[in-house]
Amino acid sequence: MITVGIDCGAKNTKAIVLKDGVIVGKGLCLTGFDQERAVDNALNQALEDAGISKGDVAKIAAVGFEYRPVNADIVVNEFNAMAKAGHFFFRNAGTVVDVGAEGSRVVKVGAKGEVLDFIMNEKCAAGAGTFVESMSRALEIPLEEIGDLALKSDNPIPMNAQCVIFAESEVVGLIHANVPKEDISRAIHDAMADRIVSMIFRLGMNEDVVLIGGMGLNAGFVEGVRRGLGLDKLYIPPDPEFGLAVGAAIVATASCGAER
């Protein structure tokens, strides 16, 4: 059976093709102002990558929409997609964390990949990827390098600001005080990680902890969360930014079976 999962995020739209429980195609493009076009582009990329036509797809599921997009048969709740994705990649997943461009969510997961409880933060960018993007501009460091830079620091510096605007001012102050950039980078990532760790502890942590979303690619953030939770390891799937799309495709597959 072939299904497709689509995640229309604030920054990027992702699509994956799932064939008999195996990911065989992926597509990614900027979301921009036209969600439908972004969905079309990501979907076509994924289908081309998989070497199949749209007519071969049994069902398409989408996540990240407040309405049903033209290309989708069903819309999947983000928390359900998170739980299914975490369980798909790691059968012992107990907590799944999704940190994207503009929001962060934590789900407690049952033994069968079901949602037991959840918590979310979408009101402040300081708990999402846009925070790191803003800080990389303030430090004049490429976004793809700022996470690795944080790993070079062994000097934790607390950041007091709880808002992106004030945090940027605080970073400028640290720069003017000649604080090394690696220490500032660690402070930035630790501040963001502290928000996520706080969410996890409020919900109640069940191991293993799985991290999906684009921030799973940021080594400084991952290390900050791991250190804050006191764990030896966080579980991160390949291409974690496709996590929600994978979860959506799994739900689509299950719905096909339920209709038989």
PDB file of all heavy atoms in Angstrom, residues 216-239:
ATOM      1  N   GLY A 216      15.865  19.346  15.372  1.00  0.00           N
ATOM      2  CA  GLY A 216      16.589  18.103  15.603  1.00  0.00           C
ATOM      3  C   GLY A 216      17.901  18.045  14.839  1.00  0.00           C
ATOM      4  O   GLY A 216      18.751  17.196  15.113  1.00  0.00           O
ATOM      5  N   LEU A 217      18.066  18.956  13.878  1.00  0.00           N
ATOM      6  CA  LEU A 217      19.305  19.035  13.104  1.00  0.00           C
ATOM      7  C   LEU A 217      20.338  19.946  13.761  1.00  0.00           C
ATOM      8  O   LEU A 217      21.470  20.033  13.294  1.00  0.00           O
ATOM      9  CB  LEU A 217      19.000  19.561  11.694  1.00  0.00           C
ATOM     10  CG  LEU A 217      18.061  18.709  10.839  1.00  0.00           C
ATOM     11  CD1 LEU A 217      17.651  19.476   9.589  1.00  0.00           C
ATOM     12  CD2 LEU A 217      18.721  17.395  10.467  1.00  0.00           C
ATOM     13  N   ASN A 218      19.939  20.634  14.831  1.00  0.00           N
ATOM     14  CA  ASN A 218      20.811  21.601  15.489  1.00  0.00           C
ATOM     15  C   ASN A 218      21.492  20.938  16.684  1.00  0.00           C
ATOM     16  O   ASN A 218      20.864  20.674  17.714  1.00  0.00           O
ATOM     17  CB  ASN A 218      19.983  22.810  15.941  1.00  0.00           C
ATOM     18  CG  ASN A 218      20.823  23.905  16.558  1.00  0.00           C
ATOM     19  OD1 ASN A 218      21.572  23.674  17.500  1.00  0.00           O
ATOM     20  ND2 ASN A 218      20.683  25.122  16.044  1.00  0.00           N
ATOM     21  N   ALA A 219      22.789  20.669  16.545  1.00  0.00           N
ATOM     22  CA  ALA A 219      23.514  19.910  17.562  1.00  0.00           C
ATOM     23  C   ALA A 219      23.572  20.634  18.903  1.00  0.00           C
ATOM     24  O   ALA A 219      23.518  20.003  19.964  1.00  0.00           O
ATOM     25  CB  ALA A 219      24.930  19.609  17.070  1.00  0.00           C
ATOM     26  N   GLY A 220      23.678  21.960  18.876  1.00  0.00           N
ATOM     27  CA  GLY A 220      23.738  22.715  20.122  1.00  0.00           C
ATOM     28  C   GLY A 220      22.443  22.627  20.901  1.00  0.00           C
ATOM     29  O   GLY A 220      22.440  22.483  22.130  1.00  0.00           O
ATOM     30  N   PHE A 221      21.323  22.700  20.203  1.00  0.00           N
ATOM     31  CA  PHE A 221      20.018  22.580  20.848  1.00  0.00           C
ATOM     32  C   PHE A 221      19.803  21.172  21.387  1.00  0.00           C
ATOM     33  O   PHE A 221      19.340  20.983  22.519  1.00  0.00           O
ATOM     34  CB  PHE A 221      18.919  22.940  19.853  1.00  0.00           C
ATOM     35  CG  PHE A 221      17.534  22.644  20.344  1.00  0.00           C
ATOM     36  CD1 PHE A 221      16.964  23.412  21.344  1.00  0.00           C
ATOM     37  CD2 PHE A 221      16.806  21.595  19.814  1.00  0.00           C
ATOM     38  CE1 PHE A 221      15.684  23.136  21.810  1.00  0.00           C
ATOM     39  CE2 PHE A 221      15.530  21.315  20.263  1.00  0.00           C
ATOM     40  CZ  PHE A 221      14.964  22.085  21.270  1.00  0.00           C
ATOM     41  N   VAL A 222      20.134  20.170  20.577  1.00  0.00           N
ATOM     42  CA  VAL A 222      19.971  18.775  20.999  1.00  0.00           C
ATOM     43  C   VAL A 222      20.763  18.514  22.273  1.00  0.00           C
ATOM     44  O   VAL A 222      20.264  17.900  23.224  1.00  0.00           O
ATOM     45  CB  VAL A 222      20.416  17.814  19.876  1.00  0.00           C
ATOM     46  CG1 VAL A 222      20.455  16.373  20.382  1.00  0.00           C
ATOM     47  CG2 VAL A 222      19.479  17.924  18.682  1.00  0.00           C
ATOM     48  N   GLU A 223      21.995  18.995  22.311  1.00  0.00           N
ATOM     49  CA  GLU A 223      22.830  18.787  23.493  1.00  0.00           C
ATOM     50  C   GLU A 223      22.259  19.524  24.699  1.00  0.00           C
ATOM     51  O   GLU A 223      22.289  19.009  25.827  1.00  0.00           O
ATOM     52  CB  GLU A 223      24.256  19.258  23.210  1.00  0.00           C
ATOM     53  CG  GLU A 223      25.204  19.198  24.403  1.00  0.00           C
ATOM     54  CD  GLU A 223      25.376  17.807  24.989  1.00  0.00           C
ATOM     55  OE1 GLU A 223      25.033  16.809  24.316  1.00  0.00           O
ATOM     56  OE2 GLU A 223      25.849  17.715  26.142  1.00  0.00           O
ATOM     57  N   GLY A 224      21.713  20.717  24.477  1.00  0.00           N
ATOM     58  CA  GLY A 224      21.115  21.466  25.580  1.00  0.00           C
ATOM     59  C   GLY A 224      19.924  20.741  26.185  1.00  0.00           C
ATOM     60  O   GLY A 224      19.763  20.695  27.412  1.00  0.00           O
ATOM     61  N   VAL A 225      19.083  20.162  25.339  1.00  0.00           N
ATOM     62  CA  VAL A 225      17.926  19.408  25.830  1.00  0.00           C
ATOM     63  C   VAL A 225      18.381  18.147  26.554  1.00  0.00           C
ATOM     64  O   VAL A 225      17.886  17.819  27.638  1.00  0.00           O
ATOM     65  CB  VAL A 225      16.977  19.055  24.668  1.00  0.00           C
ATOM     66  CG1 VAL A 225      15.854  18.143  25.157  1.00  0.00           C
ATOM     67  CG2 VAL A 225      16.386  20.318  24.052  1.00  0.00           C
ATOM     68  N   ARG A 226      19.326  17.432  25.960  1.00  0.00           N
ATOM     69  CA  ARG A 226      19.821  16.201  26.595  1.00  0.00           C
ATOM     70  C   ARG A 226      20.396  16.494  27.972  1.00  0.00           C
ATOM     71  O   ARG A 226      20.089  15.801  28.956  1.00  0.00           O
ATOM     72  CB  ARG A 226      20.903  15.558  25.713  1.00  0.00           C
ATOM     73  CG  ARG A 226      21.410  14.214  26.242  1.00  0.00           C
ATOM     74  CD  ARG A 226      22.800  13.897  25.740  1.00  0.00           C
ATOM     75  NE  ARG A 226      23.804  14.836  26.226  1.00  0.00           N
ATOM     76  CZ  ARG A 226      24.314  14.800  27.453  1.00  0.00           C
ATOM     77  NH1 ARG A 226      23.913  13.898  28.335  1.00  0.00           N
ATOM     78  NH2 ARG A 226      25.227  15.697  27.821  1.00  0.00           N
ATOM     79  N   ARG A 227      21.198  17.538  28.036  1.00  0.00           N
ATOM     80  CA  ARG A 227      21.824  17.909  29.303  1.00  0.00           C
ATOM     81  C   ARG A 227      20.769  18.346  30.318  1.00  0.00           C
ATOM     82  O   ARG A 227      20.821  17.974  31.498  1.00  0.00           O
ATOM     83  CB  ARG A 227      22.835  19.028  29.044  1.00  0.00           C
ATOM     84  CG  ARG A 227      23.706  19.395  30.227  1.00  0.00           C
ATOM     85  CD  ARG A 227      24.872  20.286  29.791  1.00  0.00           C
ATOM     86  NE  ARG A 227      24.415  21.418  29.005  1.00  0.00           N
ATOM     87  CZ  ARG A 227      24.865  21.697  27.776  1.00  0.00           C
ATOM     88  NH1 ARG A 227      25.775  20.943  27.205  1.00  0.00           N
ATOM     89  NH2 ARG A 227      24.406  22.752  27.121  1.00  0.00           N
ATOM     90  N   GLY A 228      19.788  19.113  29.861  1.00  0.00           N
ATOM     91  CA  GLY A 228      18.745  19.593  30.756  1.00  0.00           C
ATOM     92  C   GLY A 228      17.880  18.475  31.313  1.00  0.00           C
ATOM     93  O   GLY A 228      17.406  18.548  32.454  1.00  0.00           O
ATOM     94  N   LEU A 229      17.667  17.436  30.517  1.00  0.00           N
ATOM     95  CA  LEU A 229      16.857  16.296  30.963  1.00  0.00           C
ATOM     96  C   LEU A 229      17.660  15.294  31.778  1.00  0.00           C
ATOM     97  O   LEU A 229      17.087  14.402  32.414  1.00  0.00           O
ATOM     98  CB  LEU A 229      16.243  15.580  29.749  1.00  0.00           C
ATOM     99  CG  LEU A 229      15.197  16.362  28.953  1.00  0.00           C
ATOM    100  CD1 LEU A 229      14.788  15.575  27.717  1.00  0.00           C
ATOM    101  CD2 LEU A 229      13.973  16.678  29.812  1.00  0.00           C
ATOM    102  N   GLY A 230      18.987  15.416  31.732  1.00  0.00           N
ATOM    103  CA  GLY A 230      19.833  14.485  32.461  1.00  0.00           C
ATOM    104  C   GLY A 230      19.860  13.100  31.845  1.00  0.00           C
ATOM    105  O   GLY A 230      20.028  12.097  32.555  1.00  0.00           O
ATOM    106  N   LEU A 231      19.716  13.033  30.526  1.00  0.00           N
ATOM    107  CA  LEU A 231      19.692  11.753  29.825  1.00  0.00           C
ATOM    108  C   LEU A 231      21.031  11.483  29.143  1.00  0.00           C
ATOM    109  O   LEU A 231      21.789  12.405  28.842  1.00  0.00           O
ATOM    110  CB  LEU A 231      18.584  11.742  28.770  1.00  0.00           C
ATOM    111  CG  LEU A 231      17.150  11.889  29.274  1.00  0.00           C
ATOM    112  CD1 LEU A 231      16.191  11.973  28.098  1.00  0.00           C
ATOM    113  CD2 LEU A 231      16.776  10.724  30.189  1.00  0.00           C
ATOM    114  N   ASP A 232      21.286  10.216  28.888  1.00  0.00           N
ATOM    115  CA  ASP A 232      22.488   9.853  28.142  1.00  0.00           C
ATOM    116  C   ASP A 232      22.308  10.091  26.648  1.00  0.00           C
ATOM    117  O   ASP A 232      23.281  10.329  25.930  1.00  0.00           O
ATOM    118  CB  ASP A 232      22.836   8.375  28.375  1.00  0.00           C
ATOM    119  CG  ASP A 232      23.262   8.101  29.807  1.00  0.00           C
ATOM    120  OD1 ASP A 232      23.836   9.004  30.435  1.00  0.00           O
ATOM    121  OD2 ASP A 232      23.000   6.977  30.296  1.00  0.00           O
ATOM    122  N   LYS A 233      21.048  10.038  26.192  1.00  0.00           N
ATOM    123  CA  LYS A 233      20.818  10.098  24.753  1.00  0.00           C
ATOM    124  C   LYS A 233      19.409  10.575  24.445  1.00  0.00           C
ATOM    125  O   LYS A 233      18.457  10.246  25.158  1.00  0.00           O
ATOM    126  CB  LYS A 233      21.030   8.700  24.145  1.00  0.00           C
ATOM    127  CG  LYS A 233      20.792   8.595  22.657  1.00  0.00           C
ATOM    128  CD  LYS A 233      21.017   7.169  22.170  1.00  0.00           C
ATOM    129  CE  LYS A 233      20.783   7.058  20.667  1.00  0.00           C
ATOM    130  NZ  LYS A 233      21.004   5.670  20.183  1.00  0.00           N
ATOM    131  N   LEU A 234      19.281  11.363  23.382  1.00  0.00           N
ATOM    132  CA  LEU A 234      17.987  11.651  22.777  1.00  0.00           C
ATOM    133  C   LEU A 234      17.908  10.860  21.476  1.00  0.00           C
ATOM    134  O   LEU A 234      18.914  10.673  20.788  1.00  0.00           O
ATOM    135  CB  LEU A 234      17.835  13.143  22.469  1.00  0.00           C
ATOM    136  CG  LEU A 234      17.811  14.117  23.638  1.00  0.00           C
ATOM    137  CD1 LEU A 234      17.630  15.540  23.118  1.00  0.00           C
ATOM    138  CD2 LEU A 234      16.716  13.775  24.627  1.00  0.00           C
ATOM    139  N   TYR A 235      16.724  10.417  21.130  1.00  0.00           N
ATOM    140  CA  TYR A 235      16.547   9.615  19.924  1.00  0.00           C
ATOM    141  C   TYR A 235      16.024  10.514  18.805  1.00  0.00           C
ATOM    142  O   TYR A 235      14.953  11.115  18.924  1.00  0.00           O
ATOM    143  CB  TYR A 235      15.597   8.454  20.195  1.00  0.00           C
ATOM    144  CG  TYR A 235      16.198   7.442  21.139  1.00  0.00           C
ATOM    145  CD1 TYR A 235      16.138   7.635  22.521  1.00  0.00           C
ATOM    146  CD2 TYR A 235      16.869   6.326  20.654  1.00  0.00           C
ATOM    147  CE1 TYR A 235      16.721   6.725  23.394  1.00  0.00           C
ATOM    148  CE2 TYR A 235      17.452   5.408  21.517  1.00  0.00           C
ATOM    149  CZ  TYR A 235      17.378   5.615  22.884  1.00  0.00           C
ATOM    150  OH  TYR A 235      17.966   4.717  23.746  1.00  0.00           O
ATOM    151  N   ILE A 236      16.809  10.607  17.745  1.00  0.00           N
ATOM    152  CA  ILE A 236      16.483  11.498  16.632  1.00  0.00           C
ATOM    153  C   ILE A 236      16.487  10.685  15.341  1.00  0.00           C
ATOM    154  O   ILE A 236      17.493  10.055  15.006  1.00  0.00           O
ATOM    155  CB  ILE A 236      17.494  12.651  16.531  1.00  0.00           C
ATOM    156  CG1 ILE A 236      17.548  13.416  17.862  1.00  0.00           C
ATOM    157  CG2 ILE A 236      17.128  13.587  15.383  1.00  0.00           C
ATOM    158  CD1 ILE A 236      18.628  14.463  17.921  1.00  0.00           C
ATOM    159  N   PRO A 237      15.384  10.686  14.598  1.00  0.00           N
ATOM    160  CA  PRO A 237      15.337   9.916  13.354  1.00  0.00           C
ATOM    161  C   PRO A 237      16.126  10.599  12.249  1.00  0.00           C
ATOM    162  O   PRO A 237      16.454  11.791  12.349  1.00  0.00           O
ATOM    163  CB  PRO A 237      13.842   9.892  13.020  1.00  0.00           C
ATOM    164  CG  PRO A 237      13.323  11.160  13.610  1.00  0.00           C
ATOM    165  CD  PRO A 237      14.115  11.377  14.873  1.00  0.00           C
ATOM    166  N   PRO A 238      16.423   9.888  11.179  1.00  0.00           N
ATOM    167  CA  PRO A 238      17.031  10.536  10.017  1.00  0.00           C
ATOM    168  C   PRO A 238      16.073  11.603   9.470  1.00  0.00           C
ATOM    169  O   PRO A 238      14.859  11.403   9.459  1.00  0.00           O
ATOM    170  CB  PRO A 238      17.198   9.385   9.013  1.00  0.00           C
ATOM    171  CG  PRO A 238      17.109   8.133   9.826  1.00  0.00           C
ATOM    172  CD  PRO A 238      16.208   8.443  10.973  1.00  0.00           C
ATOM    173  N   ASP A 239      16.603  12.722   9.052  1.00  0.00           N
ATOM    174  CA  ASP A 239      15.779  13.807   8.506  1.00  0.00           C
ATOM    175  C   ASP A 239      14.602  14.120   9.431  1.00  0.00           C
ATOM    176  O   ASP A 239      13.433  13.969   9.060  1.00  0.00           O
ATOM    177  CB  ASP A 239      15.262  13.441   7.111  1.00  0.00           C
ATOM    178  CG  ASP A 239      16.376  13.178   6.115  1.00  0.00           C
ATOM    179  OD1 ASP A 239      17.388  13.902   6.167  1.00  0.00           O
ATOM    180  OD2 ASP A 239      16.240  12.253   5.299  1.00  0.00           O
TER     181      ASP A 239
END
